[in-house]
Amino acid sequence: MRRDAEEPVRPRSDQVIGRDELLGRARDQLSGGGSVLLHGPPGIGKSTMLRALDAEYAESARTVLRCSATESESHLPFLALVDLLGLVADEVADALPLPQRAALEAALTGRAESSLHRDGLALRLAVLSVLRALAARGPVLLVADDLQWLDAPSAELLGFAARRLGGMPVRMLGAVRTRTEPKEQEHVPYLRAYPPESLALRLAPLTRSQVSELLAARGYTGLRRSTVRDIHHTSGGNPLFALELGRALAESPTPPRPGEPLPVPTSLRALVLSRLDLLSAEARRTLLVASAGARPTLALLHAAGRDDAESETALAASLGLVATGGPDGQEGTVRFANPLVSAALYAQATPQERRAAHAALSTAASDPIERARHLALATTGTDEQVAARLAEAATLARDRGAPSVAAQLGLLAARHTPPDAQPGADERRLRSAEDALTSGDIDLAREVARDALDRATDAAIRVRAWMVVIDAAGQAMAEVESVFPQALADAGDDPRLLALVRYQLAWRALLVEGEMTKGREEAAHAARLAATAADRRTELMALSFQAQMETLMGHPDAPATLERALTEPQDPQVTCDHNGAGATRFRWEIMSDQLTEARTTITGLLVEVRKRGMVEAEVHFLRGLAETELRAGHCGRALDLAHESLALGRDTGIGEAAGNMFTSLAEAAGGDVDRALALAGDAVRRAEEDGDLIYLSRALGALGHAQLVAGNAAGTVQSLRRARELEQGLGIFDPARGRWHGDLAEALIRIGELAEAQDVIDATREHASRLGRASVLAVLDRAEALLKAAQGEHEAAVRQLTSAQEQLAKLGYGLEEARVALELGRLRAERAGGSGLSERSARGAYDEATRLLRRCRAVPWLRQVEAAVVGATGAVGSMGSAGALGATGSVGSVVGAVPPAGGWSAPVELDRLASTERQVAALVLEGATNREIAARLFISVKTVEATLTRVYRKLGIRSRVDIVRLAAGQQRTG
């Protein structure tokens, strides 16, 4: 039953993690009076979600019936029926015919022999009558956990009643254990105990970020990101398994070193290895070898001396421990049913058994990296030959673009390096820290670098270790202030080492002190020192930084410095570094309105860093590509890329403040304004906490823009005034860097501060003209036209807006072009209003803006078109040829619901649909495919399909075409 009085209380975030979509679908179903069956493997979180929904919807029911079956009691007939009806049957027993009452009493009390065979129809009708009588008094909620253990008679009785309760306010909410593989469809038989058209929801494994959130919510904090990654992999995303692994780590006095397997608690070993005793000792050894291998195959097991691998793995497969054949059908692959099975097998083995398995694989594996790793794990103590092979394997992994593997191999090499060897253990340990930094494993890099500093006395090793510590701090460089004097002391007067430190001091001057001029000078100093020491890599990095500073400052030397940074010989690592020459070239191109060239540059860089496994650079370059697409007006593509970069950044802890900042801009252009505001606010907070003045100004720019799109002109002015003051203090004079100047002028006009708006326009135009920033000048023309309109100069305003639109179209700035068209529409609508504005003329004024905004998929701006026309005409409903959004609350007004050309008003029948159903129907009217609908509403394709099925059922139609026909029919009759 629907709750009209108030929304249900949502479960606390520490109760249900990572199930927002499923909770939403379950809520829609239950709110509409339907029933829900949750299913999935053990530990996946069914009971947790069941309890949350129970607590949420029990308030709306007059009667709540609950049962939770157990395996040990599943043989007892009618036990579930007793749990469900034992306390309420007496309330309605008098309304039952005598035969039904007698049969039910016998089943519930056991005082007389009762069975379905004997009492058959009477007992079935009794259960049905009780539920109907309870429903007549008010809504009934029936909650049943672990349906797989439900005794057979109770299951039969519930099924009989459920199929005959149509139209009665009885909802069923249950959970059943099924296997991991979704294709098995094991839940289908349990739906027979449910009303027709009940919703079955499968709980899938959690993602890595959701596992991280779950562990933090349960108090397992302070784990390295690489450890969380291992927990996610080993648990297979199973919440129960992940929590047990987290508990084992918290209780372990000696956490595993990088590359070592996680400790698997005895409770989990017993759970997943209960059938291991059915295997012979030789078969268990074969599975142990498979668990030690990275990609076990039957051929590998044979090479490792496991002669009966086929029969032994076949038996293990029959017991559900392994599966033969990969997910892609590749012959000979051996994969464990769950990663935890492999981890538990390995954890259960003795150290001697593990070393024997690795020794066998050290000669059997075909890949040199794998052979070296197994040799190290089979060897105890130090051994220079083993260490050298591991160091060679680390180099090979690095060249293959697998720096995370190189980091682990480097640590193994350091562990096996004798005290007097060259290169020594400290050198190998430090190289692994640098590899970890490249791979995005910031926590490991910092930890290993600190360990190297505790051990090393060599100045070069120490300075490089300090560089890792500083780089690991990221934008929060203020947190490592004490490092710089120590690094300078270790560097002494060595120009090579001093160049490294001076380069970092350039970043410190920028991020901590907000001194761009000082940062430029430090970078130039570092470049000179590096050139003296013939350190081309550091010289190129310093020149790239210097060029970036000069570009932001509008310094006349910027082109020459950039050319020096791009001069041969180049260093491939620097070329694709996120602070290297390639990134500097991209920044120059995008600030110079060379969008095609910028896209080519950043796409090439992204391909290269993915090959090399440079995760931090990938985060930055994804964001750069998103920025390019946003400038070009491809809002949907920009939003996807921004979210991809943000997810990768959050997963690795890299640049989260910057990621939030840019994703806010993308959301404000093509997504959700509330999300844009939240992300920008978080970016401002983080930048303030980090003391990062550079990103603080960018974050304030994003916040001001989101506030403008949301209609909060006063908030925009407050945020962007602060950004202006910050950038003036930093010495940033190139308006193409933040591009917030037009927004500030526009917001000032809206609140009546016309003189200040003119000042912003004039000051910005001076710098933009000097630097040749054509797109900035066109945006300033738009703002100045609005200023003229506010002063009554309508003809001049229209001319200036028309010119600005033409210029932006020529430059390829699709969204800015559309924004000019929107302002032209507003001006024309205002002018027409003086002579009696009709609804048709209002639509016509906004036609071009709607067309351009649709092309950009700029949903928040399309809403502004809707608001403008409704405000101008007072009309509610179709936008006709303007094709904007429909009436508030109708299909047309949902996010992303941009109807087809010609416009639709919402069919009256669609008002019966739930919110998600209306959104999906709206996008069907637009002509979007299921995949496009899923992407725009942030749901899965399966959810779209299920939602459409409900829409068809509620509207009494059969296909997507019928939805369009409904709308067309109303359009004709209207």
Side-chain angles (χ1 to χ4, degrees), residues 96 108 154 159 185 201 211 250 467 481 561 684 818:
L96 270 62
L108 295 179
S154 295
Q185 299 293 309
L201 297 175
V211 166
M467 297 305 99
E481 278 283 270
T561 305
V684 169

Side-chain angles (χ1 to χ4, degrees), residues 889-909:
S890 72
V891 172
S893 67
V894 299
V895 173
V898 187
W904 300 113
S905 56
V908 174
E909 291 88 344

Side-chain angles (χ1 to χ4, degrees), residues 528-732:
R528 290 192 296 270
L529 287 167
T532 300
D535 180 0
R536 184 62 173 162
R537 177 172 293 186
T538 303
E539 181 186 9
L540 289 171
M541 291 296 292
L543 286 171
S544 298
F545 181 89
Q546 183 183 344
Q548 287 189 57
M549 294 306 97
E550 291 172 351
T551 299
L552 294 176
M553 295 166 65
H555 196 285
D557 291 348
T561 305
L562 177 57
E563 186 175 350
R564 287 174 62 200
L566 293 169
T567 300
E568 296 293 340
Q570 286 291 312
D571 183 299
Q573 189 79 10
V574 173
T575 300
C576 57
D577 189 279
H578 62 284
N579 289 316
T584 305
R585 182 205 294 271
F586 162 74
R587 183 54 49 197
W588 175 269
E589 289 168 342
I590 200 167
M591 291 176 68
S592 302
D593 300 323
Q594 301 174 44
L595 295 185
T596 301
E597 294 83 352
R599 183 182 290 107
T600 300
T601 297
I602 198 68
T603 301
L605 289 169
L606 189 57
V607 169
E608 187 62 27
V609 298
R610 282 174 167 165
K611 285 181 183 176
R612 293 173 174 269
M614 299 171 66
V615 176
E616 184 171 8
E618 183 180 356
V619 171
H620 285 271
F621 293 156
L622 277 170
R623 195 184 308 140
L625 183 55
E627 182 179 358
T628 308
E629 299 297 350
L630 188 58
R631 297 272 176 265
H634 305 150
C635 298
R637 171 71 172 149
L639 187 60
D640 290 342
L641 289 164
H643 276 289
E644 185 179 353
S645 174
L646 183 61
L648 186 58
R650 285 176 173 172
D651 194 32
T652 57
I654 294 172
E656 292 185 65
N660 286 347
M661 176 273 297
F662 189 79
T663 307
S664 170
L665 291 172
E667 287 283 0
D672 181 86
V673 179
D674 289 335
R675 282 198 295 267
L677 289 166
L679 286 163
D682 185 73
V684 169
R685 178 185 59 78
R686 287 173 180 267
E688 288 174 333
E689 290 175 354
D690 292 342
D692 185 347
L693 300 178
I694 290 293
Y695 268 114
L696 178 56
S697 68
R698 293 293 305 270
L700 286 166
L703 179 59
H705 180 72
Q707 290 167 325
L708 182 72
V709 178
N712 181 6
T716 298
V717 169
Q718 181 180 6
S719 297
L720 296 186
R721 276 176 176 164
R722 192 178 166 200
R724 188 185 190 197
E725 180 182 346
L726 265 175
E727 293 199 357
Q728 287 175 341
L730 289 166
I732 298 175

Side-chain angles (χ1 to χ4, degrees), residues 740-929:
W740 46 260
H741 311 74
D743 286 346
L744 175 55
E746 182 177 331
L748 286 165
I749 294 165
R750 290 188 185 183
I751 66 171
E753 297 288 347
L754 305 188
E756 185 179 351
Q758 187 68 66
D759 176 66
V760 170
I761 293 169
D762 291 343
T764 307
R765 180 174 281 134
E766 178 183 349
H767 295 296
S769 298
R770 176 174 58 86
L771 297 169
R773 304 307 192 212
S775 62
V776 174
L777 290 170
V779 169
L780 291 174
D781 283 345
R782 180 184 70 211
E784 191 165 50
L786 298 181
L787 184 60
K788 289 176 180 177
Q791 295 168 336
E793 303 176 37
H794 288 278
E795 291 294 340
V798 168
R799 286 195 301 271
Q800 194 165 12
L801 284 173
T802 303
S803 174
Q805 183 177 350
E806 291 173 355
Q807 178 68 0
L808 289 166
K810 181 179 178 181
L811 292 169
Y813 282 75
L815 181 57
E816 295 295 352
E817 176 194 358
R819 286 182 62 181
V820 177
L822 175 58
E823 298 306 335
L824 271 170
R826 284 174 172 150
L827 274 180
R828 288 168 178 153
E830 287 175 11
R831 294 180 68 191
S835 57
L837 176 65
S838 68
E839 187 174 337
R840 181 177 297 277
S841 61
R843 297 191 198 109
Y846 291 102
D847 271 348
E848 177 69 358
T850 301
R851 182 184 69 81
L852 293 173
L853 290 169
R854 268 187 178 171
R855 185 181 69 185
C856 295
R857 300 186 71 168
V859 175
W861 292 100
L862 278 163
R863 287 198 176 284
Q864 292 204 19
V865 178
E866 174 190 23
V869 173
V870 172
T873 66
V876 178
S878 173
M879 285 285 298
S881 62
L885 307 177
T888 301
S890 72
V891 172
S893 67
V894 299
V895 173
V898 187
W904 300 113
S905 56
V908 174
E909 291 88 344
L910 300 191
D911 291 338
R912 304 201 313 251
L913 302 179
S915 173
T916 302
E917 295 164 353
R918 289 200 305 273
Q919 294 180 50
V920 171
L923 291 169
V924 168
L925 288 178
E926 183 185 345
T929 65

Side-chain angles (χ1 to χ4, degrees), residues 100-118:
Q100 293 181 24
R101 191 189 320 164
L104 182 62
E105 182 179 358
L108 295 179
T109 63
R111 286 198 292 264
E113 183 181 352
S114 177
S115 68
L116 283 179
H117 178 72
R118 174 184 170 182

Side-chain angles (χ1 to χ4, degrees), residues 71-154:
E71 184 177 12
S72 61
E73 298 173 339
S74 60
H75 66 286
L76 299 174
F78 305 118
L79 187 60
L81 192 68
V82 172
D83 290 339
L84 290 169
L85 303 182
L87 298 178
V88 297
D90 288 345
E91 297 178 17
V92 295
D94 291 343
L96 270 62
L98 186 58
Q100 293 181 24
R101 191 189 320 164
L104 182 62
E105 182 179 358
L108 295 179
T109 63
R111 286 198 292 264
E113 183 181 352
S114 177
S115 68
L116 283 179
H117 178 72
R118 174 184 170 182
D119 297 321
L121 183 60
L123 189 51
R124 287 176 171 84
L125 293 174
V127 173
L128 177 61
S129 297
V130 168
L131 291 175
R132 282 176 171 169
L134 292 172
R137 298 183 175 190
V140 175
L141 178 65
L142 193 155
V143 184
D145 199 1
D146 283 319
L147 284 170
Q148 72 276 5
W149 306 130
L150 208 66
D151 63 272
S154 295

